[in-house]
Amino acid sequence: MSKKKNQLNHLAIIMDGNGRWAKKRHQPRVFGHREGMDNVERITLAADELGIKVLTLYAFSTENWARPKEEVAYLMNLPVRFFDKYMPTLMENNVKVNIMGYLDELPPKTYDIVQRSMAETANNTGLVLNFAFNYGSRREITSAMKELGGLIEAGALSSEDITEDLISKHLMTARFGPYSDPDLLIRTSGEQRISNFLLWQIAYSELAFSPKAWPDFNEDDLKMFVENYQTRNRRFGKV
Ligand SMILES: Cc1cc(N2CCCCCC2)n2ncc(-c3ccc(F)cc3)c2n1
């Protein structure tokens, strides 16, 4: 009798290894970021083919501002490059783009393109491509606590009303539908760290690590990880 398959609805990826990938090719780090950007489109379409409903990608963390200013400037322009190149394909594939993070801290050009892209794809009903952009999980949780604290101070909420579900609803991931907790988190490039990504949301997620740098992570690698996930025995904290 075939083993029950887990349905993978929400996949999250920490797309690591771009700088080292470029260095190995005697190229500047930004060459790896550019290759990595093209791979985002490839893996988005592959995820859609595999029936994944939400794909959350860690594009820029709140800690990344500490990188050299030239690199930050390049990264801030990647969304512009990405949508210039791929918006037609995203529309053809009915992909809905969501960007979560502290967007009001972005340079105006970056802020505009992310807002426009969400608006342009808002009526799409296919795969949700969710970029975590200027995102940090501890800051996200802190913001949620401040919101709930404000509701209590305003008399709109009692501390008794605070539940795990209510906290989840105040996190950034709550804005894009029922699959807000990832079923599987993949990190590329061999590092086995979470790096302040979706700390609350991955409480019961399966974790998987690829030795490949993000630019080399291809459709076959994704299919292998998804098939492996489907055979795993999900516990959700139970025995
Ligand atoms: C900062 C950054 C870095 C970035 N890399 C490529 C992927 C690997 C990670 C580092 C470099 N990519 N790739 C796509 C985007 C993006 C972000 C928001 C958006 F609305 C559309 C596209 C991106 N953003």
Side-chain angles (χ1 to χ4, degrees), residues 133-148:
F133 196 87
N134 194 27
Y135 169 87
S137 183
R138 285 192 171 185
R139 187 173 166 188
E140 175 194 30
I141 293 168
T142 303
S143 301
M145 295 307 110
K146 284 180 179 172
E147 277 177 28
L148 293 170

Side-chain angles (χ1 to χ4, degrees), residues 7-13 43-58 94-100 124-132 172-186 197-198 201 205 222 226 229:
Q7 174 62 33
L8 205 170
N9 291 310
H10 184 177
L11 170 65
I13 304 179
I43 295 301
T44 298
L45 298 182
D48 194 21
E49 279 296 307
L50 289 165
I52 289 167
K53 304 285 184 291
V54 180
L55 177 61
T56 297
L57 302 176
Y58 206 1
N94 194 24
V95 172
K96 180 185 173 80
V97 173
N98 183 73
I99 295 108
M100 66 175 194
N124 291 349
T125 56
L127 177 138
V128 175
L129 175 57
N130 182 43
F131 289 101
M172 293 180 174
T173 41
R175 296 172 201 161
F176 59 89
Y179 310 110
S180 59
D181 287 347
D183 298 298
L184 175 64
L185 169 62
I186 296 173
F197 184 46
L198 301 176
Q201 297 87 335
S205 302
L222 178 65
V226 169
Y229 168 82

Side-chain angles (χ1 to χ4, degrees), residues 189-229:
S189 95
E191 302 294 347
Q192 300 198 3
R193 296 189 296 269
I194 301 300
S195 300
N196 196 22
F197 184 46
L198 301 176
L199 298 176
W200 175 276
Q201 297 87 335
I202 62 169
Y204 298 108
S205 302
E206 296 292 318
L207 307 179
F209 302 94
S210 169
K212 289 191 174 184
W214 172 250
D216 287 333
F217 187 83
N218 62 33
E219 296 87 337
D220 292 338
D221 298 308
L222 178 65
K223 190 164 184 291
M224 181 191 70
F225 277 95
V226 169
E227 286 172 353
N228 174 269
Y229 168 82

Side-chain angles (χ1 to χ4, degrees), residues 15-16 18 32-38 40 57-60 64 67 74-76 78-80 82-83 97-99 113-114 117 129 131-133 214:
M15 307 178 286
D16 198 14
N18 304 277
H33 296 332
R34 179 64 187 270
E35 278 299 305
M37 181 199 80
D38 288 331
V40 165
L57 302 176
Y58 206 1
F60 192 86
N64 286 154
R67 290 190 179 180
Y74 185 90
L75 292 170
M76 284 299 114
L78 272 182
V80 177
F82 181 80
F83 290 118
V97 173
N98 183 73
I99 295 108
I113 191 67
V114 300
S117 306
L129 175 57
F131 289 101
F133 196 87
W214 172 250

